């Protein structure tokens, strides 16, 4: 299944060697920087309506069940 997803992405990008570029020509830190910029741009393009739709339809977009004070304490300890 993963191969089909990768094939679809590469076809949509119209860049057959994209995977090679990302895995072999970029350092991991450059790849992380690139992905952060991709996510930043994507997030900047979202409207409040888009965010609400994601909340309603995406099982991965839900409020955390972790107590915020406990999370802050964990971060402080870490």
């Amino acid at each position: 299944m993963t191969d089909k997803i990768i094939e679809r992405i590469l076809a949509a990008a119209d860049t057959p060697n994209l995977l090679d570029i990302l895995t072999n020509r970029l350092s991991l830190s450059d790849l992380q920087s690139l992905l952060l910029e991709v996510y930043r741009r994507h997030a900047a393009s979202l409207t409040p309506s888009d965010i609400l739709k994601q909340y309603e339809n995406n099982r991965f977009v839900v409020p955390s069940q972790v107590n915020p004070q406990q999370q802050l304490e964990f971060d402080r300890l870490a």
Side-chain angles (χ1 to χ4, degrees):
M1 177 166 84
T2 303
D3 291 339
K4 289 182 180 181
I5 294 169
I6 299 300
E7 288 174 14
R8 178 185 54 78
I9 294 168
L10 295 176
D14 195 27
T15 308
N17 61 341
L18 179 61
L19 195 55
D20 178 60
I21 292 168
L22 295 176
T23 57
N24 297 318
R25 298 187 200 176
L26 293 180
S27 68
L28 285 178
S29 62
D30 284 348
L31 178 59
Q32 288 173 336
S33 297
L34 178 65
L35 291 173
L36 285 170
E37 179 61 15
V38 168
Y39 281 113
R40 187 195 68 76
R41 289 183 185 194
H42 181 73
S45 72
L46 294 175
T47 65
S49 176
D50 294 331
I51 295 169
L52 182 58
K53 285 178 192 171
Q54 282 186 1
Y55 175 75
E56 293 171 343
N57 299 317
N58 186 334
R59 65 187 174 113
F60 296 111
V61 181
V62 295
S64 173
Q65 295 181 2
V66 176
N67 179 311
Q69 289 178 324
Q70 289 177 328
Q71 181 66 44
L72 286 172
E73 180 62 16
F74 177 80
D75 286 345
R76 187 187 69 75
L77 292 172

Coordinates of all heavy atoms in Angstrom, one line a residue:
M1 N 0.8 -1.2 0.0 CA 0.0 0.0 0.0 C 0.9 1.3 0.0 O 0.6 2.2 -0.7 CB -0.9 0.0 1.2 CG -1.8 1.3 1.3 SD -3.2 1.2 2.4 CE -2.4 1.6 3.9
T2 N 2.0 1.3 0.7 CA 2.8 2.4 0.8 C 3.4 2.8 -0.6 O 3.5 4.0 -0.9 CB 4.0 2.2 1.8 OG1 3.4 1.9 3.1 CG2 4.8 3.4 1.9
D3 N 3.8 1.8 -1.3 CA 4.3 2.0 -2.7 C 3.3 2.8 -3.6 O 3.7 3.6 -4.3 CB 4.7 0.7 -3.3 CG 5.9 0.1 -2.7 OD1 6.7 0.8 -2.0 OD2 6.1 -1.1 -2.9
K4 N 2.0 2.4 -3.5 CA 1.0 3.1 -4.3 C 0.9 4.5 -3.8 O 0.7 5.4 -4.7 CB -0.3 2.3 -4.1 CG -0.4 1.0 -4.8 CD -1.7 0.4 -4.7 CE -1.8 -1.0 -5.4 NZ -3.1 -1.6 -5.3
I5 N 1.0 4.8 -2.6 CA 0.9 6.1 -2.1 C 2.0 7.0 -2.6 O 1.9 8.1 -3.1 CB 0.8 6.2 -0.5 CG1 -0.5 5.5 0.0 CG2 0.9 7.6 0.0 CD1 -0.6 5.2 1.5
I6 N 3.2 6.4 -2.5 CA 4.4 7.1 -2.9 C 4.4 7.3 -4.4 O 4.7 8.4 -4.9 CB 5.7 6.3 -2.6 CG1 5.9 6.1 -1.1 CG2 7.0 6.9 -3.2 CD1 6.0 7.4 -0.3
E7 N 3.9 6.4 -5.2 CA 3.8 6.5 -6.6 C 2.8 7.7 -6.9 O 3.0 8.5 -7.8 CB 3.3 5.2 -7.3 CG 4.4 4.2 -7.3 CD 3.9 2.8 -7.8 OE1 2.8 2.8 -8.4 OE2 4.6 1.8 -7.6
R8 N 1.7 7.7 -6.2 CA 0.7 8.8 -6.4 C 1.3 10.1 -6.1 O 1.1 11.1 -6.9 CB -0.5 8.5 -5.5 CG -1.6 9.6 -5.7 CD -2.8 9.4 -4.7 NE -2.4 9.3 -3.3 CZ -2.0 10.3 -2.5 NH1 -2.0 11.5 -3.0 NH2 -1.7 10.1 -1.3
I9 N 2.0 10.2 -5.0 CA 2.6 11.5 -4.6 C 3.6 12.0 -5.7 O 3.6 13.1 -6.1 CB 3.3 11.4 -3.3 CG1 2.2 11.2 -2.2 CG2 4.1 12.7 -2.9 CD1 2.7 10.8 -0.8
L10 N 4.5 11.1 -6.1 CA 5.5 11.4 -7.1 C 4.9 11.8 -8.4 O 5.3 12.8 -9.1 CB 6.5 10.3 -7.3 CG 7.3 9.9 -6.1 CD1 8.2 8.7 -6.4 CD2 8.2 11.1 -5.6
A11 N 3.8 11.1 -8.8 CA 3.1 11.5 -10.0 C 2.5 12.9 -9.9 O 2.5 13.7 -10.8 CB 2.1 10.5 -10.4
A12 N 1.9 13.1 -8.8 CA 1.2 14.4 -8.5 C 2.2 15.6 -8.5 O 2.0 16.7 -9.0 CB 0.4 14.4 -7.2
A13 N 3.4 15.3 -8.0 CA 4.5 16.3 -8.0 C 5.1 16.5 -9.3 O 5.9 17.5 -9.5 CB 5.6 15.9 -6.9
D14 N 4.9 15.5 -10.2 CA 5.5 15.6 -11.6 C 7.0 15.7 -11.5 O 7.7 16.4 -12.3 CB 4.9 16.7 -12.4 CG 5.2 16.6 -13.9 OD1 5.4 15.4 -14.3 OD2 5.3 17.6 -14.6
T15 N 7.6 15.0 -10.5 CA 9.0 15.0 -10.3 C 9.4 13.6 -9.9 O 9.5 13.3 -8.7 CB 9.4 16.0 -9.1 OG1 8.8 17.3 -9.4 CG2 10.9 16.2 -9.0
P16 N 9.7 12.8 -10.9 CA 10.0 11.4 -10.6 C 11.1 11.1 -9.7 O 11.2 10.2 -8.9 CB 10.3 10.8 -12.0 CG 9.8 11.8 -13.0 CD 9.8 13.1 -12.3
N17 N 12.1 12.0 -9.6 CA 13.3 11.8 -8.8 C 13.2 12.6 -7.4 O 14.2 12.7 -6.7 CB 14.6 12.2 -9.5 CG 14.6 13.7 -9.9 OD1 13.6 14.3 -10.0 ND2 15.8 14.2 -10.2
L18 N 12.0 13.0 -7.1 CA 11.8 13.7 -5.9 C 12.2 12.9 -4.6 O 12.9 13.5 -3.8 CB 10.3 14.1 -5.7 CG 9.9 14.9 -4.4 CD1 10.7 16.2 -4.3 CD2 8.4 15.1 -4.4
L19 N 11.9 11.7 -4.6 CA 12.2 10.8 -3.4 C 13.8 10.7 -3.3 O 14.3 10.8 -2.2 CB 11.6 9.5 -3.6 CG 11.6 8.6 -2.4 CD1 10.9 9.3 -1.2 CD2 10.9 7.3 -2.7
D20 N 14.5 10.6 -4.4 CA 15.9 10.5 -4.4 C 16.5 11.9 -3.9 O 17.4 11.9 -3.1 CB 16.5 10.2 -5.8 CG 18.0 10.2 -5.8 OD1 18.6 9.4 -5.1 OD2 18.6 11.0 -6.6
I21 N 16.0 12.9 -4.4 CA 16.4 14.3 -3.9 C 16.3 14.4 -2.4 O 17.2 14.8 -1.7 CB 15.7 15.4 -4.7 CG1 16.1 15.4 -6.2 CG2 16.0 16.7 -4.1 CD1 15.2 16.2 -7.0
L22 N 15.1 14.1 -1.9 CA 14.8 14.3 -0.5 C 15.6 13.3 0.4 O 16.0 13.7 1.5 CB 13.3 14.1 -0.2 CG 12.4 15.1 -0.9 CD1 10.9 14.8 -0.7 CD2 12.7 16.5 -0.4
T23 N 15.9 12.1 -0.1 CA 16.5 11.2 0.8 C 18.1 11.2 0.6 O 18.8 10.9 1.6 CB 16.0 9.7 0.5 OG1 16.2 9.4 -0.9 CG2 14.6 9.6 0.9
N24 N 18.6 11.5 -0.6 CA 20.0 11.3 -0.8 C 20.8 12.6 -1.0 O 22.0 12.7 -0.9 CB 20.2 10.4 -2.0 CG 19.7 9.0 -1.7 OD1 19.9 8.5 -0.7 ND2 19.1 8.5 -2.7
R25 N 20.1 13.7 -1.4 CA 20.8 14.9 -1.7 C 20.7 16.0 -0.6 O 21.4 16.9 -0.6 CB 20.3 15.5 -3.0 CG 20.5 14.6 -4.2 CD 20.1 15.3 -5.5 NE 19.9 14.3 -6.6 CZ 19.5 14.7 -7.8 NH1 19.3 15.9 -8.1 NH2 19.3 13.7 -8.7
L26 N 19.7 15.8 0.3 CA 19.5 16.8 1.3 C 20.0 16.2 2.7 O 19.7 15.0 2.9 CB 18.0 17.2 1.5 CG 17.4 18.0 0.3 CD1 15.9 18.2 0.7 CD2 18.1 19.3 0.1
S27 N 20.6 17.0 3.5 CA 20.9 16.5 4.8 C 19.6 16.4 5.6 O 18.6 17.1 5.2 CB 21.8 17.5 5.5 OG 21.2 18.7 5.8
L28 N 19.6 15.7 6.7 CA 18.4 15.6 7.5 C 17.9 16.9 8.0 O 16.7 17.2 8.1 CB 18.6 14.5 8.6 CG 18.6 13.1 8.2 CD1 18.8 12.2 9.4 CD2 17.3 12.7 7.5
S29 N 18.9 17.7 8.4 CA 18.5 19.0 9.0 C 17.9 19.9 7.9 O 16.9 20.7 8.1 CB 19.7 19.7 9.6 OG 20.7 20.0 8.7
D30 N 18.4 19.8 6.6 CA 17.8 20.6 5.5 C 16.4 20.1 5.2 O 15.5 20.8 4.9 CB 18.7 20.5 4.3 CG 19.9 21.4 4.4 OD1 19.9 22.3 5.3 OD2 20.8 21.3 3.5
L31 N 16.2 18.7 5.3 CA 14.9 18.2 5.0 C 13.9 18.6 6.1 O 12.8 19.0 5.8 CB 15.0 16.6 5.0 CG 13.7 15.9 4.8 CD1 13.1 16.3 3.4 CD2 14.0 14.4 4.8
Q32 N 14.4 18.6 7.3 CA 13.5 19.1 8.4 C 13.1 20.5 8.2 O 11.9 20.9 8.4 CB 14.1 18.9 9.8 CG 14.2 17.4 10.2 CD 15.0 17.2 11.4 OE1 15.9 18.0 11.8 NE2 14.8 16.1 12.1
S33 N 14.1 21.4 7.8 CA 13.8 22.8 7.6 C 12.8 22.9 6.4 O 11.8 23.7 6.5 CB 15.1 23.5 7.2 OG 15.9 23.5 8.3
L34 N 13.0 22.1 5.4 CA 12.1 22.2 4.2 C 10.6 21.8 4.7 O 9.7 22.4 4.3 CB 12.6 21.3 3.1 CG 11.7 21.2 1.9 CD1 11.6 22.5 1.2 CD2 12.3 20.1 1.0
L35 N 10.5 20.7 5.4 CA 9.2 20.2 5.8 C 8.5 21.2 6.8 O 7.3 21.4 6.7 CB 9.3 18.8 6.5 CG 9.7 17.7 5.6 CD1 10.0 16.4 6.3 CD2 8.7 17.5 4.5
L36 N 9.3 21.8 7.7 CA 8.7 22.9 8.5 C 8.2 24.0 7.7 O 7.1 24.5 8.0 CB 9.8 23.4 9.5 CG 10.1 22.5 10.7 CD1 11.3 23.0 11.4 CD2 8.9 22.3 11.6
E37 N 8.8 24.4 6.6 CA 8.4 25.5 5.8 C 7.1 25.0 5.0 O 6.1 25.8 4.9 CB 9.4 25.9 4.8 CG 9.0 27.0 3.9 CD 8.6 28.3 4.5 OE1 8.9 28.5 5.7 OE2 8.0 29.2 3.8
V38 N 7.1 23.8 4.6 CA 5.9 23.3 3.9 C 4.7 23.3 4.9 O 3.6 23.8 4.5 CB 6.1 21.8 3.4 CG1 4.8 21.1 3.0 CG2 7.2 21.8 2.3
Y39 N 4.9 22.8 6.1 CA 3.8 22.9 7.1 C 3.4 24.3 7.4 O 2.2 24.6 7.6 CB 4.2 22.1 8.3 CG 4.0 20.6 8.2 CD1 5.1 19.8 8.2 CD2 2.8 20.0 8.0 CE1 5.0 18.4 8.0 CE2 2.6 18.6 7.8 CZ 3.8 17.8 7.8 OH 3.6 16.5 7.7
R40 N 4.4 25.2 7.5 CA 4.0 26.6 7.8 C 3.2 27.2 6.7 O 2.2 27.8 7.0 CB 5.3 27.4 8.0 CG 5.1 28.9 8.5 CD 6.3 29.8 8.3 NE 6.6 30.0 6.8 CZ 5.9 30.8 6.0 NH1 4.8 31.5 6.5 NH2 6.2 31.0 4.8
R41 N 3.6 27.0 5.5 CA 2.8 27.5 4.4 C 1.4 26.9 4.3 O 0.4 27.6 4.0 CB 3.5 27.3 3.0 CG 4.7 28.1 2.9 CD 5.4 27.9 1.5 NE 6.6 28.7 1.4 CZ 7.2 28.9 0.3 NH1 6.7 28.4 -0.9 NH2 8.4 29.6 0.2
H42 N 1.3 25.6 4.5 CA 0.0 25.0 4.5 C -0.9 25.5 5.6 O -2.0 25.8 5.4 CB 0.2 23.4 4.7 CG -1.1 22.7 4.6 ND1 -1.9 22.5 3.5 CD2 -1.9 22.1 5.6 CE1 -3.0 21.9 3.7 NE2 -3.0 21.6 5.0
A43 N -0.3 25.6 6.8 CA -1.1 26.2 7.9 C -1.5 27.6 7.7 O -2.7 28.0 8.0 CB -0.3 26.1 9.2
A44 N -0.7 28.4 7.1 CA -1.0 29.8 6.8 C -2.2 29.9 5.8 O -2.9 30.9 5.7 CB 0.2 30.5 6.3
S45 N -2.4 28.9 4.9 CA -3.4 28.9 3.9 C -4.8 28.4 4.4 O -5.8 28.6 3.7 CB -3.0 28.1 2.7 OG -3.1 26.7 3.0
L46 N -4.8 27.9 5.7 CA -6.0 27.4 6.2 C -6.9 28.5 6.7 O -6.5 29.5 7.3 CB -5.8 26.4 7.4 CG -5.1 25.1 7.0 CD1 -4.7 24.3 8.3 CD2 -5.9 24.3 6.0
T47 N -8.2 28.4 6.4 CA -9.2 29.3 6.9 C -9.8 28.7 8.2 O -9.7 27.5 8.5 CB -10.3 29.5 5.9 OG1 -11.0 28.3 5.7 CG2 -9.8 30.0 4.6
P48 N -10.5 29.5 9.0 CA -11.2 28.9 10.2 C -12.1 27.8 9.8 O -12.2 26.8 10.5 CB -11.9 30.1 10.8 CG -11.0 31.3 10.4 CD -10.5 31.0 9.0
S49 N -12.8 28.0 8.7 CA -13.7 26.9 8.2 C -12.9 25.6 7.9 O -13.4 24.5 8.2 CB -14.4 27.4 6.9 OG -15.2 26.4 6.4
D50 N -11.7 25.7 7.3 CA -10.9 24.5 7.0 C -10.6 23.8 8.3 O -10.6 22.6 8.4 CB -9.6 24.9 6.3 CG -9.9 25.5 4.9 OD1 -10.9 25.1 4.3 OD2 -9.0 26.3 4.5
I51 N -10.2 24.6 9.3 CA -9.8 24.0 10.6 C -11.0 23.3 11.2 O -10.9 22.2 11.8 CB -9.2 25.1 11.5 CG1 -7.9 25.6 10.9 CG2 -9.0 24.6 12.9 CD1 -7.4 26.8 11.5
L52 N -12.2 23.9 11.2 CA -13.4 23.3 11.7 C -13.7 22.0 11.0 O -14.0 21.0 11.6 CB -14.5 24.3 11.6 CG -15.9 23.7 12.2 CD1 -15.7 23.4 13.7 CD2 -16.9 24.8 12.0
K53 N -13.6 22.0 9.7 CA -13.8 20.8 8.9 C -12.8 19.7 9.3 O -13.2 18.5 9.4 CB -13.7 21.0 7.4 CG -14.8 21.8 6.8 CD -14.6 22.0 5.3 CE -15.6 23.0 4.8 NZ -15.3 23.5 3.5
Q54 N -11.5 20.0 9.5 CA -10.6 19.0 9.9 C -10.9 18.5 11.3 O -10.8 17.3 11.6 CB -9.2 19.6 10.0 CG -8.5 19.8 8.7 CD -7.0 20.3 8.8 OE1 -6.5 20.5 9.9 NE2 -6.4 20.4 7.7
Y55 N -11.4 19.4 12.2 CA -11.7 18.9 13.5 C -12.9 17.9 13.5 O -13.0 17.0 14.2 CB -12.1 20.1 14.4 CG -12.7 19.8 15.7 CD1 -11.8 19.3 16.7 CD2 -14.0 19.9 16.0 CE1 -12.3 19.0 18.0 CE2 -14.5 19.5 17.3 CZ -13.6 19.1 18.2 OH -14.1 18.7 19.5
E56 N -13.9 18.2 12.6 CA -15.0 17.4 12.5 C -14.8 16.0 11.7 O -15.4 15.0 12.0 CB -16.1 18.1 11.7 CG -16.7 19.3 12.5 CD -17.6 20.2 11.7 OE1 -17.6 20.1 10.4 OE2 -18.4 20.9 12.3
N57 N -13.8 16.0 10.8 CA -13.6 14.9 9.9 C -12.3 14.1 10.1 O -12.3 12.9 9.7 CB -13.7 15.3 8.5 CG -15.0 15.9 8.1 OD1 -16.1 15.4 8.5 ND2 -15.0 17.0 7.4
N58 N -11.4 14.6 10.8 CA -10.1 14.0 10.9 C -9.9 13.4 12.3 O -9.9 14.2 13.3 CB -8.9 15.0 10.6 CG -7.6 14.3 10.6 OD1 -7.3 13.3 11.2 ND2 -6.7 14.9 9.8
R59 N -9.8 12.1 12.4 CA -9.7 11.5 13.7 C -8.4 11.9 14.5 O -8.3 11.6 15.7 CB -9.8 10.0 13.6 CG -8.7 9.3 12.9 CD -9.0 7.8 12.7 NE -8.1 7.2 11.8 CZ -7.2 6.3 12.2 NH1 -7.3 5.9 13.5 NH2 -6.3 5.8 11.4
F60 N -7.4 12.4 13.7 CA -6.2 12.8 14.4 C -6.2 14.2 14.9 O -5.2 14.7 15.5 CB -5.0 12.6 13.4 CG -4.8 11.2 13.1 CD1 -5.1 10.7 11.8 CD2 -4.4 10.2 14.0 CE1 -4.9 9.4 11.4 CE2 -4.2 8.9 13.7 CZ -4.5 8.5 12.4
V61 N -7.2 15.0 14.6 CA -7.3 16.4 14.9 C -8.4 16.5 16.0 O -9.6 16.7 15.8 CB -7.7 17.3 13.7 CG1 -7.8 18.7 14.2 CG2 -6.7 17.1 12.6
V62 N -8.0 16.2 17.3 CA -8.9 16.3 18.4 C -8.1 17.0 19.6 O -6.9 17.0 19.6 CB -9.3 14.9 18.9 CG1 -10.2 14.2 17.8 CG2 -8.2 14.0 19.2
P63 N -8.9 17.6 20.5 CA -8.3 18.2 21.6 C -7.5 17.1 22.5 O -8.0 16.0 22.6 CB -9.4 18.8 22.4 CG -10.6 18.9 21.5 CD -10.3 17.8 20.5
S64 N -6.5 17.5 23.1 CA -5.7 16.6 23.9 C -6.5 16.3 25.2 O -7.2 17.1 25.7 CB -4.4 17.2 24.3 OG -3.7 16.4 25.2
Q65 N -6.4 15.0 25.6 CA -7.0 14.6 26.9 C -6.0 14.8 28.0 O -6.4 14.5 29.2 CB -7.5 13.2 26.8 CG -8.6 13.0 25.7 CD -9.1 11.6 25.7 OE1 -8.7 10.7 26.4 NE2 -10.1 11.4 24.8
V66 N -4.8 15.2 27.7 CA -3.8 15.4 28.8 C -4.1 16.8 29.5 O -4.3 17.8 28.9 CB -2.4 15.4 28.2 CG1 -1.3 15.7 29.2 CG2 -2.1 14.1 27.5
N67 N -4.0 16.7 30.8 CA -4.2 17.9 31.6 C -3.0 18.9 31.3 O -1.9 18.5 31.3 CB -4.1 17.5 33.1 CG -4.3 18.7 34.0 OD1 -3.6 19.7 33.8 ND2 -5.1 18.6 35.0
P68 N -3.4 20.1 30.9 CA -2.3 21.1 30.5 C -1.3 21.3 31.6 O -0.1 21.5 31.3 CB -3.1 22.4 30.1 CG -4.5 21.9 29.9 CD -4.7 20.7 30.7
Q69 N -1.7 21.4 32.8 CA -0.8 21.6 33.9 C 0.2 20.4 34.1 O 1.4 20.6 34.3 CB -1.5 21.8 35.2 CG -2.2 23.2 35.3 CD -3.0 23.3 36.6 OE1 -3.5 22.4 37.1 NE2 -3.0 24.6 37.1
Q70 N -0.3 19.2 33.9 CA 0.6 18.0 33.9 C 1.5 18.0 32.8 O 2.7 17.7 32.9 CB -0.3 16.7 33.9 CG -1.0 16.5 35.2 CD -1.9 15.2 35.0 OE1 -2.4 14.9 34.0 NE2 -2.1 14.6 36.2
Q71 N 1.1 18.5 31.6 CA 2.0 18.6 30.4 C 3.1 19.6 30.7 O 4.3 19.3 30.4 CB 1.2 18.9 29.2 CG 2.0 19.0 27.9 CD 2.6 17.7 27.5 OE1 1.9 16.7 27.5 NE2 3.8 17.6 27.1
L72 N 2.7 20.7 31.2 CA 3.7 21.7 31.6 C 4.7 21.2 32.6 O 5.9 21.4 32.5 CB 3.1 23.0 32.1 CG 2.4 23.9 31.0 CD1 1.6 25.0 31.7 CD2 3.4 24.4 30.0
E73 N 4.3 20.5 33.6 CA 5.2 19.9 34.6 C 6.1 18.9 34.0 O 7.3 18.8 34.2 CB 4.3 19.3 35.7 CG 5.2 18.7 36.8 CD 6.1 19.6 37.5 OE1 5.9 20.9 37.4 OE2 7.0 19.2 38.2
F74 N 5.6 18.1 33.1 CA 6.4 17.1 32.4 C 7.5 17.8 31.6 O 8.6 17.4 31.6 CB 5.5 16.2 31.4 CG 6.3 15.2 30.6 CD1 6.7 14.0 31.2 CD2 6.6 15.5 29.3 CE1 7.5 13.1 30.5 CE2 7.4 14.6 28.6 CZ 7.8 13.4 29.1
D75 N 7.1 18.8 30.8 CA 8.0 19.6 30.0 C 9.1 20.2 30.9 O 10.3 20.2 30.5 CB 7.3 20.7 29.2 CG 6.6 20.1 28.0 OD1 6.8 19.0 27.6 OD2 5.7 20.9 27.5
R76 N 8.7 20.7 32.0 CA 9.6 21.3 33.0 C 10.7 20.3 33.5 O 11.9 20.6 33.5 CB 8.9 22.0 34.1 CG 9.8 22.8 35.1 CD 9.1 23.2 36.3 NE 8.7 22.1 37.2 CZ 9.6 21.5 38.0 NH1 10.9 21.8 38.0 NH2 9.2 20.5 38.8
L77 N 10.2 19.1 33.8 CA 11.1 18.1 34.2 C 12.0 17.6 33.1 O 13.1 17.2 33.4 CB 10.3 16.9 34.8 CG 9.5 17.2 36.1 CD1 8.6 16.1 36.5 CD2 10.5 17.5 37.2
A78 N 11.5 17.5 31.9 CA 12.3 17.0 30.8 C 13.3 18.0 30.5 O 14.4 17.7 30.1 CB 11.4 16.8 29.6

